[in-house]
Amino acid sequence: MSRILMIVSLCAMFLGMGCESHKERKEEKSKYLVTSPLRKDTLVTNQYVAQIQSIRNIEVRTQERGYLEDIYVDEGQFVKKGQLMFKIMPKLYKAELQRAEAEAHFAQIEYENTKQLADSNVVAPNELAMAKAKFEKAKAEQSLAQVHLEFTDIRAPFDGIVDRLHLKLGSLVEEGELLTSLSDNSDMWVYYNVPEAEYLDYQQAVHEDDTTKVELLMANNQVYKHDGYVQTIEGEFNNETGNIAFRASFPNPEGLLRHGETGSVLTQVPFNNSLLIPQKATFEVLSKHYVYVVNEDHKIESREISLAGELPHIYAISDGISEDDTILLEGLRKVREGDEIEYDFEDPQEVLNHLELYAE
């Protein structure tokens, strides 16, 4: 009987130990991690949707009517300034030039003969003037015929890359018809729209001789290896959007960027003595941002905050909390307004250091 009682006592003891162990684990799980906002100097990166354009992008069009006799380039080909790209059938214009040359030569002979007679006082000075005017007119028509003939050779006006060819060999082309486009991609112009408030901040912060450096985030989410510089700002705001267009220039020595690409311009704005918190410590309700503040009684209170800027995984706060507040860092979905919690405090600098490492 005593042996049975001993076994029962041992079972009860082990069972009690197991319950206590389970209770301790449960209590440990119910603890939450909290921290405080950190005040420090930092840089906030602003991101703007951008359109990338060549510094020169033109349409190559015909200046004469005729048949497309030769095509000397291909799509995507790099051409040098003055390189022959297309030829419009020149026979008609050659014939016109020959006729104009003959008429100019005839007018020259007539003028020279009249001049000899005028020098001998055989003809009146007015007749000499008429002969000279006729000769000058013939020379002008010859020059015009020469220009028309030269227009049948279409050459590159600058170094660039040929776009799509719109017509095939042998096509009948009209005056002004589009043949292709040509892009000078040695440097690229990147346009992005800036809200009015940020434009005013920029104008007040930048001196006349300063150049603002920016970065380009490409469509593959990679940062372009060369920095760009803000060159100019458009003269008027868009009344519909309230934005104004900035233009930054980026070098393009490898030819990676092409006309018509998209991306995002990244600008860094210094935030001095800024209040920083982890983004994961916030939640949104109807486009407003909130945090859970833990009061002196260990109870949860929601508080609306105003954002001053955004970094990777971090928010800069302009209003709503102070560095003396304790905010809930994890488990936001597990608590409700007014809940009393147990927590462990983590140093805010360590929290942000961990986020910065994670962001890299």
Side-chain angles (χ1 to χ4, degrees):
M1 185 68 178
S2 59
R3 186 175 181 182
I4 294 173
L5 289 173
M6 185 180 297
I7 292 173
V8 171
S9 299
L10 288 172
C11 290
M13 181 178 66
F14 288 134
L15 183 61
M17 290 175 63
C19 291
E20 288 179 4
S21 176
H22 178 72
K23 184 177 180 181
E24 288 175 1
R25 288 198 300 269
K26 186 174 181 180
E27 288 177 354
E28 288 176 359
K29 288 182 180 179
S30 66
K31 281 194 173 183
Y32 293 88
L33 195 62
V34 299
T35 189
S36 292
L38 179 66
R39 191 171 292 280
K40 63 181 295 188
D41 295 341
T42 188
L43 291 173
V44 173
T45 300
N46 291 334
Q47 184 169 328
Y48 307 94
V49 176
Q51 286 284 340
I52 302 171
Q53 298 184 10
S54 306
I55 57 170
R56 285 184 289 184
N57 176 265
I58 64 165
E59 294 178 339
V60 179
R61 295 181 177 271
T62 62
Q63 291 180 288
E64 298 295 343
R65 185 178 186 277
Y67 287 97
L68 190 56
E69 187 174 271
D70 283 301
I71 299 176
Y72 299 98
V73 295
D74 200 359
E75 296 170 345
Q77 179 182 338
F78 179 81
V79 295
K80 301 288 288 183
K81 180 179 179 179
Q83 182 175 334
L84 185 61
M85 300 175 66
F86 304 94
K87 180 182 283 293
I88 308 299
M89 188 176 65
K91 292 181 180 179
L92 174 62
Y93 302 102
K94 284 181 178 178
E96 288 181 349
L97 177 59
Q98 289 171 354
R99 183 181 67 182
E101 288 173 343
E103 290 178 352
H105 184 61
F106 176 79
Q108 181 181 6
I109 294 173
E110 189 175 13
Y111 166 69
E112 290 174 351
N113 290 337
T114 306
K115 189 175 185 304
Q116 289 178 359
L117 294 174
D119 291 341
S120 302
N121 294 320
V122 175
V123 297
N126 286 344
E127 192 170 345
L128 176 61
M130 291 287 290
K132 184 179 180 181
K134 185 177 180 181
F135 176 43
E136 294 294 338
K137 180 182 177 183
K139 285 197 301 181
E141 290 178 349
Q142 178 185 344
S143 297
L144 182 60
Q146 180 66 45
V147 169
H148 281 293
L149 179 61
E150 290 174 356
F151 282 165
T152 62
D153 288 342
I154 301 174
R155 300 180 181 273
F158 51 78
D159 296 354
I161 297 176
V162 179
D163 194 23
R164 178 178 298 180
L165 301 178
H166 293 275
L167 295 175
K168 305 300 181 184
L169 193 66
S171 300
L172 176 63
V173 296
E174 299 294 336
E175 181 181 342
E177 192 154 1
L178 178 63
L179 297 175
T180 187
S181 297
L182 187 66
S183 299
D184 178 1
N185 292 344
S186 56
D187 289 289
M188 306 301 289
W189 283 348
V190 179
Y191 292 88
Y192 60 101
N193 293 320
V194 176
E196 184 175 355
E198 294 177 24
Y199 159 79
L200 294 173
D201 292 339
Y202 172 84
Q203 291 289 66
Q204 292 170 350
V206 176
H207 299 291
E208 184 176 351
D209 298 331
D210 288 349
T211 54
T212 302
K213 184 172 70 174
V214 296
E215 295 180 311
L216 177 63
L217 183 67
M218 298 181 292
N220 61 354
N221 211 34
Q222 299 293 317
V223 176
Y224 184 56
K225 64 187 293 186
H226 301 286
D227 292 331
Y229 295 89
V230 175
Q231 282 190 325
T232 187
I233 304 172
E234 285 191 0
E236 297 181 2
F237 278 87
N238 185 320
N239 291 332
E240 294 181 359
T241 63
N243 296 334
I244 193 169
F246 280 49
R247 189 187 79 200
S249 179
F250 285 81
N252 191 32
E254 296 85 9
L256 177 62
L257 302 179
R258 296 291 181 100
H259 180 80
E261 280 188 71
T262 59
S264 296
V265 167
L266 306 178
T267 64
Q268 291 188 331
V269 180
F271 272 62
N272 297 324
N273 202 29
S274 181
L275 197 63
L276 307 178
I277 63 170
Q279 289 188 18
K280 66 179 182 179
T282 69
F283 61 96
E284 288 187 45
V285 178
L286 299 176
S287 301
K288 295 182 179 181
H289 290 80
Y290 295 84
V291 294
Y292 280 129
V293 177
V294 183
N295 63 22
E296 295 178 354
D297 297 328
H298 290 210
K299 290 187 177 181
I300 295 292
E301 298 175 356
S302 62
R303 191 176 299 174
E304 184 181 351
I305 57 174
S306 300
L307 304 185
E310 181 176 352
L311 292 82
H313 307 285
I314 299 171
Y315 283 137
I317 307 302
S318 61
D319 190 31
I321 55 175
S322 71
E323 55 194 309
D324 297 326
D325 287 320
T326 300
I327 60 173
L328 188 63
L329 183 61
E330 294 178 350
L332 276 69
R333 296 185 178 181
K334 298 179 181 179
V335 298
R336 295 181 180 180
E337 183 84 16
D339 283 355
E340 184 176 344
I341 64 169
E342 295 295 327
Y343 58 79
D344 291 324
F345 183 85
E346 185 169 351
D347 182 78
Q349 184 64 64
E350 292 297 323
V351 173
L352 295 187
N353 288 343
H354 176 72
L355 292 174
E356 289 168 3
L357 289 173
Y358 175 73
E360 293 176 354

